[in-house]
Amino acid sequence: MGACVKCGLPETYQKIVFDEYHVCNFCRFYEKHRKELSDFAALEAQFAKEAAEAKKKAAANGARYDCITGLSGGKDGAYITYQLQHKYGMRVLTYTLDNGFSTEFGRRNIEILLRKLDVEHIWINVQDSMLRQFYSASMKLMKNFCSVCFHFCHYYSHLLASQYGVPLVVNGRTRSQILQSADEEKYIEPFAVSRNLKSFEYQMFGKLADKLDGHSCIDFLPDAEVTSLSYFMYHNVGEEEKMKFLEENIGWIRPQNSVPHPDCWAHPMAEKCSLKKHGYPVRTGELAEMVREGLLTVEEAVRERESDREAYQTISPEIEERFSERISNRR
């Protein structure tokens, strides 16, 4: 199998294109914009400007909160909440989508954070029959269910912002998640910042947002003007640095193993779906992007990718059965 000579991304990766030197389009995009993407002083200043503007708008709206961010019990949401409150002096409203996939690890860490930081928090409970309908349809049509969780998180964060007059939603997408398939500036932070739900859905799903627009099951909240920012696009913070900081400052509990997404028990099913549909694990694009950033060598990224492939080729029957029961429309 062929692969990009610079990042190791396989030729089967979605929307990959090689030039005459067998360098992929994503590497060429990163090389073109390396200076802007590596200037964290400028990126932090950009974020700070948006945060200051949000505080002004919130004050003008008479809002109780300056921004909204989501919590799953993982490190990203917890770290962001702490920094928004302490570094940026923002009044933060937090929320958690109760999708039926949360783990005890995640719930325990949410409780720890809420006690330590004393922030307001909302549990979002979507009608279960609706969730099952969306999950089942997504699995049938796209062989994927994570996009349903993403959409409901996006929708309810923007809905809450609109209802409470909050001008800013801050999410925990990593640089690798944002840049893994970036080959043009359109809809990509920090070059383009979303000011409404549909624009943000474009950042995640591309033209699928157009296909869904107008369907009775999808509401893009056209009247809600809300800015969305991905905190880690603008701040240079490593994974170990996040965990150590949270342990020391709020008593956050580190996961006992290195399994990805310990806050979601269904993650192995997401990996199985990716292997079946695409032929590669979920982190494939993210690992290649980390090579572009100099955080991994090509060899290290390939080893990580193949380790994921081996780990998720077969998953436990108990998880498969539990997942099937969770998304089934039969009650």
Side-chain angles (χ1 to χ4, degrees):
M1 181 187 297
C4 175
V5 296
K6 284 187 172 289
C7 71
L9 205 57
E11 62 185 5
T12 54
Y13 191 75
Q14 285 184 300
K15 299 180 181 179
I16 195 170
V17 178
F18 295 112
D19 63 16
E20 64 270 31
Y21 303 103
H22 219 67
V23 177
C24 74
N25 47 324
F26 311 122
C27 279
R28 289 304 189 199
F29 176 83
Y30 184 82
E31 289 170 355
K32 179 180 178 181
H33 297 287
R34 182 185 298 273
K35 184 177 180 180
E36 305 104 294
L37 293 172
S38 302
D39 188 350
F40 282 100
L43 289 169
E44 283 202 38
Q46 182 179 346
F47 184 92
K49 182 178 179 180
E50 293 280 358
E53 184 62 27
K55 288 196 282 188
K56 290 180 183 177
K57 288 182 179 179
N61 293 342
R64 293 177 58 188
Y65 315 101
D66 301 311
C67 61
I68 293 175
T69 194
L71 299 177
S72 67
K75 59 186 178 301
D76 295 332
Y79 185 89
I80 290 169
T81 302
Y82 188 100
Q83 297 299 332
L84 290 174
Q85 187 183 66
H86 288 78
K87 181 175 181 177
Y88 290 97
M90 304 190 81
R91 299 168 298 164
V92 186
L93 174 63
T94 62
Y95 75 92
T96 301
L97 176 70
D98 192 359
N99 57 11
F101 296 131
S102 298
T103 63
E104 180 58 30
F105 162 84
R107 288 178 177 268
R108 187 169 66 251
N109 272 325
I110 290 173
E111 292 174 0
I112 290 171
L113 181 141
L114 295 178
R115 285 199 304 269
K116 183 69 175 181
L117 297 187
D118 192 30
V119 293
E120 293 200 48
H121 178 260
I122 295 174
W123 281 100
I124 296 175
N125 295 288
V126 183
Q127 185 178 8
D128 195 61
S129 59
M130 182 188 298
L131 276 177
R132 291 173 182 268
Q133 179 184 359
F134 270 81
Y135 285 130
S136 296
S138 186
M139 284 294 292
K140 182 178 180 180
L141 296 173
M142 300 189 293
K143 302 297 186 289
N144 169 281
F145 64 95
C146 295
S147 55
V148 175
C149 299
F150 292 146
H151 172 71
F152 275 106
C153 283
H154 305 160
Y155 172 78
Y156 280 105
S157 64
H158 282 70
L159 181 62
L160 284 172
S162 178
Q163 290 175 337
Y164 285 93
V166 181
L168 176 65
V169 173
V170 182
N171 69 76
R173 291 199 301 161
T174 66
R175 287 169 62 87
S176 295
Q177 289 168 339
I178 295 167
L179 297 173
Q180 59 182 317
S181 299
D183 62 357
E184 61 175 341
E185 295 179 15
K186 191 176 182 181
Y187 304 122
I188 297 294
E189 287 182 274
F191 308 105
V193 174
S194 164
R195 307 295 182 184
N196 56 59
L197 176 57
K198 186 174 180 182
S199 176
F200 187 69
E201 293 275 73
Y202 256 107
Q203 292 185 355
M204 294 289 295
F205 305 125
K207 293 181 180 179
L208 178 60
D210 275 337
K211 294 179 181 179
L212 294 174
D213 197 5
H215 284 247
S216 60
C217 62
I218 300 294
D219 180 5
F220 283 119
L221 303 171
D223 297 325
E225 296 183 6
V226 180
T227 295
S228 293
L229 294 176
S230 303
Y231 186 89
F232 298 112
M233 187 69 247
Y234 306 89
H235 300 83
N236 187 18
V237 190
E239 300 300 287
E240 177 61 29
E241 182 181 350
K242 295 175 198 174
M243 290 190 285
K244 186 176 180 180
F245 179 91
L246 292 170
E247 285 178 312
E248 294 175 352
N249 287 276
I250 68 170
W252 186 82
I253 300 173
R254 182 188 292 257
Q256 295 181 348
N257 54 50
S258 59
V259 174
H261 301 284
D263 49 354
C264 176
W265 62 260
H267 181 73
M269 281 301 303
E271 292 282 2
K272 181 176 180 179
C273 290
S274 182
L275 287 171
K276 185 175 182 179
K277 181 178 180 179
H278 301 299
Y280 48 77
V282 170
R283 291 196 301 161
T284 297
E286 297 174 47
L287 291 167
E289 199 283 328
M290 292 173 72
V291 174
R292 295 176 204 125
E293 298 232 57
L295 301 174
L296 293 175
T297 65
V298 171
E299 293 75 21
E300 288 169 337
V302 171
R303 282 199 299 271
E304 286 284 319
R305 185 177 75 214
E306 294 311 306
S307 176
D308 283 359
R309 184 192 304 277
E310 183 177 352
Y312 295 111
Q313 284 285 3
T314 304
I315 65 175
S316 83
E318 290 78 15
I319 288 181
E320 292 204 57
E321 183 177 353
R322 185 181 179 188
F323 177 78
S324 180
E325 171 60 28
R326 173 69 193 100
I327 72 167
S328 174
N329 283 317
R330 299 187 300 274
R331 299 298 300 274

